[in-house]
Amino acid sequence: MRIGDNHHRHTILIADDEEEIRNIIVSILKQDGYHFLTAAGAEEALLLLDIHIPCLVLTDVAMPGMNGFELCRRIRENHKTAHVPVAVISGKTDDEDYEVGVHAGADDYIKKPFDRAELRLRVRNLILLHESHRRHQMLFDNTSQGIIALSIETRKPVMVNKTICRMLGYSAPEMMDLSIFDLHPKEFADETERGISAGRLGETRLLSNIPFKKKSGDLLYVDMSTFPMSVDDIVCAVAFVTDVTERRHMEEELEDDKQRLQWMEAELLHAQKMEAVGRLASGIAHEINTPTQFVGDNTRFMKDAFSDISSVLNHYEKLLKAVQQGRDTGELTALCEKAMVDADIEYIMEEIPKAADQALEGVERIASIVRAMKEFAHPGGSEKVYADLNKLIETTVTVSRNEWKYAAEMKLDLDVSIPQVPCLPGEINQVLLNLIVNAAHAVSDASTKRGDGKGAITVSTSQVDSAVEIRIADTGTGIPEEIRDKVMEPFFTTKEVGRGTGQGLAIAHSVIVDKHDGSLFFETELGKGTTFVIQLPVCREESIQCEVMP
Ligand SMILES: Nc1ncnc2c1ncn2[C@@H]1O[C@H](COP(=O)(O)OP(=O)(O)OP(=O)(O)O)[C@@H](O)[C@H]1O
Ligand SMILES: [Mg+2]
């Protein structure tokens, strides 16, 4: 036994009982740079194969003890050596040995005496073939994608790589015993059947999120591409499989996070609205107080007037009775005249209708504030409805009157011809309030700085192309350049605690841009004022389905 350099990749094992032949073979092949293991028989060759896997076995057929065919069979049976090419060298001149050789799993059959050049060429080709096979096998087994070839006839795997076995938790032989229906969940059988039919038709398909059943019973989700191919003459559908279970979990988690975020956003919006409603409540109480006062004053006047009129009527009743009974009426007439002068009846008759009108006006004013407050505080649904933006503006201006009236004159320049737009009215009200309160603060700050009187806030509407535009212009401080790109960030504020928390514009941006596909921007000049512009797209009938606001 002689062991050559067994670290070399191209080591050839030569088994022959005749030393001379072994030497001849070595001498022929040595020039091609191979290394050699030599054995004087099949048994010795098997021992060598236990310690070193060569890239080729050249074996004589007729050897004492185990012959070359048996050696070949043993090499094929052992999974460690099954892939090693074997060439049998036979001294027989007929083809009898050839048949036996093929049956035993030999890759080549070389007749003695051999031609030197032919032997070199055959050995070289066998080694190249082996190398190429090894490379393909390595790629096949080590790709990150699972590969499975499925017989279209039997619906059983005929070829699987190590990756798909690892993915599903089966060994390769276990996989080979399964049918494709064992590998997918039951409810997926129809889809599996369709996949196989497509394979039969020779179609290439890309499939996403396909469930596989692992040996453990857990599900594995994969993306796969399938295409038809024949493997060892068996028509197969071959699938390249990528595990996307992790991605799916991440997508699910992302979806959960998104929903949580949406929920938190809704909560924040609601909290800010409730805070605004609370803040507005004291202003509204004030707003209601004034008309309540003059409704009271006028009603009291009418009550006093009624009592004066009753006293005059009393005298007239007595005069009427005297006239009916034919008595002297002189004194009674004088009393009537006096009572009328005392009650100032002329004035009363003139003022009562005015007082009644004023009381009714006061009541109407209170009713409209209450109505506006009710509309403003209405939680609103989550579906968009067609709404009249002018009306929303009027409502918000009414409920926020106490916030702006000391700082600014409010001017409404509303275009009555603008179309209704699909929106969430409650949320648009909130945005309008945030912008009006900001404008009022800016105007008030500016007049404090300049030491002059009230400023102005102008709210206007118009249609611009396929959007309705709302402009809220103030004559306030303007926004300094260095904070212009920060004002819409959540919690950015320049106001002292209690006056602002920096959420107003962030909420406005989220409502207008994210929820309504609109735009929100501002034009500003320091010391002159700021105009915030909201643009909301007008609904195209065919693209958005909206309810009509009741
Ligand atoms: N019309 C305006 N004129 C001048 N500065 C403005 C105007 N609107 C907003 N700003 C500036 O942008 C900042 C952020 O406004 P935002 O409405 O988001 O928060 P806030 O008004 O400070 O607090 P909150 O609205 O939560 O009560 C304000 O603090 C202010 O400095
Ligand atoms: Mg604000």
Side-chain angles (χ1 to χ4, degrees):
M1 186 196 298
R2 193 170 75 85
I3 301 181
D5 174 8
N6 61 6
H7 298 298
H8 197 280
R9 275 187 308 138
H10 295 165
T11 298
I12 299 171
L13 169 63
I14 301 165
D16 201 306
D17 54 329
E18 288 180 53
E19 190 181 0
E20 199 191 332
I21 305 274
R22 292 199 303 270
N23 289 342
I24 292 173
I25 296 175
V26 169
S27 72
I28 297 172
L29 298 177
K30 207 163 56 183
Q31 56 192 310
D32 293 320
Y34 303 119
H35 294 267
F36 303 95
L37 295 171
T38 55
E43 291 81 358
E44 195 183 329
L46 285 174
L47 286 176
L48 284 173
L49 283 167
D50 234 11
I51 22 179
H52 185 86
I53 309 288
C55 65
L56 173 67
V57 176
L58 287 175
T59 175
D60 185 22
V61 174
M63 291 183 287
M66 191 187 296
N67 71 14
F69 296 134
E70 187 52 28
L71 172 63
C72 183
R73 230 183 317 274
R74 296 276 191 97
I75 289 174
R76 288 285 166 267
E77 276 167 12
N78 183 346
H79 75 275
K80 274 158 65 185
T81 55
H83 62 281
V84 176
V86 180
V88 288
I89 302 171
S90 168
K92 290 208 176 157
T93 45
D94 55 30
D95 282 348
E96 195 189 324
D97 267 3
Y98 168 80
E99 302 293 340
V100 186
V102 168
H103 205 248
D107 297 280
D108 203 358
Y109 181 76
I110 302 168
K111 277 187 186 173
K112 276 195 271 194
F114 35 74
D115 177 81
R116 298 173 73 93
E118 187 189 344
L119 181 66
R120 284 176 64 195
L121 191 66
R122 285 201 177 189
V123 163
R124 183 172 172 272
N125 284 344
L126 281 168
I127 289 175
L128 285 178
L129 204 68
H130 173 248
E131 276 296 292
S132 151
H133 176 76
R134 207 176 59 89
R135 261 198 310 274
H136 282 125
Q137 192 63 39
M138 240 168 67
L139 289 174
F140 181 72
D141 276 331
N142 293 301
T143 161
S144 63
Q145 287 187 310
I147 304 174
I148 178 168
L150 180 80
S151 157
I152 286 181
E153 236 23 77
T154 63
R155 279 101 201 268
K156 285 181 161 230
V158 293
M159 192 172 72
V160 290
N161 74 345
K162 283 185 183 159
T163 314
I164 187 88
C165 295
R166 212 173 28 244
M167 280 177 176
L168 297 174
Y170 289 106
S171 68
E174 279 174 336
M175 286 274 293
M176 297 304 213
D177 266 354
L178 299 172
S179 135
I180 191 65
F181 295 107
D182 303 318
L183 288 173
H184 288 303
K186 270 199 192 64
E187 47 292 2
F188 202 70
D190 288 350
E191 184 60 30
T192 312
E193 212 30 86
R194 266 199 295 280
I196 293 168
S197 308
R200 186 174 282 129
L201 293 172
E203 290 172 12
T204 298
R205 302 176 86 210
L206 289 172
L207 304 162
S208 224
N209 272 320
I210 306 294
F212 267 84
K213 217 162 59 183
K214 291 193 198 182
K215 188 176 178 182
S216 64
D218 292 342
L219 288 185
L220 172 90
Y221 284 89
V222 306
D223 281 355
M224 62 187 198
S225 60
T226 65
F227 56 91
M229 189 175 107
S230 85
V231 177
D232 298 336
D233 279 345
I234 301 169
V235 185
C236 290
V238 179
F240 277 65
V241 172
T242 309
D243 182 355
V244 294
T245 314
E246 191 62 20
R247 185 188 81 194
R248 218 178 125 95
H249 284 158
M250 272 161 66
E251 278 169 4
E252 277 167 11
E253 272 173 26
L254 213 66
E255 190 51 37
D256 281 356
D257 282 356
K258 219 168 101 188
Q259 270 175 10
R260 253 198 307 277
L261 206 70
Q262 273 172 357
W263 183 80
M264 275 163 68
E265 250 178 38
E267 282 290 292
L268 185 70
L269 201 73
H270 185 67
Q272 206 231 10
K273 183 160 183 174
M274 284 302 108
E275 193 199 312
V277 168
R279 197 172 58 202
L280 292 180
S282 73
I284 282 168
H286 206 83
E287 285 302 302
I288 288 180
N289 220 12
T290 314
T292 307
Q293 203 110 44
F294 66 74
V295 168
D297 290 349
N298 284 303
T299 313
R300 254 188 306 280
F301 166 77
M302 286 190 284
K303 189 179 170 202
D304 290 348
F306 179 76
S307 130
D308 289 344
I309 292 171
S310 304
S311 126
V312 172
L313 273 180
N314 229 348
H315 285 103
Y316 271 95
E317 211 179 342
K318 283 179 190 156
L319 179 64
L320 183 66
K321 268 195 188 143
V323 171
Q324 283 166 342
Q325 291 164 2
R327 284 193 278 120
D328 178 22
T329 57
E331 195 185 341
L332 286 173
T333 309
L335 281 173
C336 278
E337 270 171 3
K338 184 170 182 306
M340 275 178 52
V341 171
D342 287 350
D344 199 356
I345 205 77
E346 212 173 305
Y347 172 77
I348 287 179
M349 295 313 276
E350 212 174 285
E351 286 303 310
I352 283 178
K354 284 192 202 159
D357 280 349
Q358 275 185 17
L360 284 174
E361 200 184 301
V363 168
E364 179 45 42
R365 172 114 200 92
I366 293 168
S368 78
I369 295 172
V370 170
R371 213 166 28 238
M373 192 58 194
K374 228 168 105 185
E375 274 167 22
F376 185 84
H378 190 277
S382 55
E383 293 293 316
K384 289 194 181 121
V385 294
Y386 276 102
D388 176 356
L389 293 180
N390 289 340
K391 178 128 183 288
L392 299 187
I393 291 169
E394 278 164 357
T395 297
T396 308
V397 165
T398 303
V399 295
S400 64
R401 204 173 118 81
N402 207 54
E403 303 281 323
W404 51 260
K405 71 173 180 195
Y406 301 107
E409 298 293 343
M410 176 68 72
K411 194 171 160 237
L412 297 188
D413 184 7
L414 308 178
D415 177 352
V416 290
S417 69
I418 56 166
Q420 298 210 339
V421 295
C423 65
L424 302 162
E427 299 191 7
I428 299 291
N429 275 337
Q430 199 173 344
V431 171
L432 292 169
L433 177 72
N434 290 350
L435 298 182
I436 289 171
V437 169
N438 280 351
H441 285 170
V443 163
S444 148
D445 289 351
S447 58
T448 309
K449 239 187 230 169
R450 288 195 298 256
D452 57 11
K454 281 185 184 182
I457 301 174
T458 308
V459 185
S460 56
T461 52
S462 61
Q463 182 163 3
V464 176
D465 300 326
S466 57
V468 168
E469 187 175 274
I470 305 172
R471 299 178 83 87
I472 294 156
D474 65 59
T475 57
T477 52
I479 303 177
E481 185 143 12
E482 59 276 15
I483 65 163
R484 281 178 198 164
D485 51 358
K486 297 204 194 85
V487 291
M488 301 228 191
E489 283 173 13
F491 305 110
F492 176 84
T493 183
T494 55
K495 296 174 190 172
E496 68 271 25
V497 177
R499 198 173 181 227
T501 56
Q503 294 177 76
L505 289 178
I507 284 175
H509 186 271
S510 145
V511 169
I512 300 298
V513 178
D514 302 339
K515 294 195 180 169
H516 289 82
D517 268 336
S519 35
L520 175 71
F521 55 91
F522 58 86
E523 296 152 4
T524 185
E525 197 179 331
L526 216 55
K528 285 267 167 62
T530 304
T531 301
F532 271 86
V533 184
I534 300 170
Q535 288 176 338
L536 290 173
V538 177
C539 183
R540 272 160 304 178
E541 303 281 329
E542 70 278 11
S543 63
I544 312 173
Q545 294 217 322
C546 301
E547 290 169 27
V548 176
M549 199 180 178

